[in-house]
Amino acid sequence: MKYTELQLEQAFIHLLETEGYHYIDGKELSRVSNQEVLIKEDLRSFLLNRYPDLEEIELESIVNEIAFQSASNLYDSNKYIYL
C-alpha cells in the first residue's frame, strides 16, 4: 500500500496516541520563533518532574548543553546528545 505524507503522519500520530502520548499540532505551540525547535520550558518541566532534586544551575546546564549544539554537523550533534 502506498502512503501519502499526510496518511503516514496520521498513522504515526495514532500509534503514539495509543501508547499514551498526547498530540498537539505544532501551530498551537507557543514559541519564541518559528526557528526554535527545542521547547525549553517543556524540557525544564520534564527534567524537574523526573529529577526533582536538580538545582537551577544543573538544570540550566543541561538545557544549554542540548540547545546550543553546533548545527554545522547534525550527525555528530545528534550522536552527542542521544548517546
Side-chain angles (χ1 to χ4, degrees), residues 1-71:
M1 179 177 193
K2 190 173 183 177
Y3 282 102
T4 66
E5 182 178 352
L6 178 61
Q7 290 170 319
L8 185 59
E9 183 179 313
Q10 292 299 319
F12 274 105
I13 290 169
H14 177 71
L15 176 65
L16 291 170
E17 286 178 332
T18 61
E19 293 294 320
Y21 290 90
H22 176 71
Y23 172 74
I24 299 174
D25 189 309
K27 295 172 188 163
E28 297 174 17
L29 295 174
S30 173
R31 297 184 187 176
V32 175
S33 78
N34 286 339
Q35 301 298 314
E36 192 72 28
V37 175
L38 180 64
I39 303 171
K40 293 177 187 174
E41 286 307 313
D42 283 356
L43 178 58
R44 281 186 185 93
S45 294
F46 168 79
L47 290 170
L48 285 174
N49 277 341
R50 176 80 186 211
Y51 308 101
D53 294 333
L54 273 178
E55 293 182 18
E56 184 61 32
I57 189 97
E58 295 171 312
L59 183 59
E60 280 302 310
S61 176
I62 294 167
V63 171
N64 288 337
E65 187 76 24
I66 294 170
F68 298 113
Q69 284 296 308
S70 171

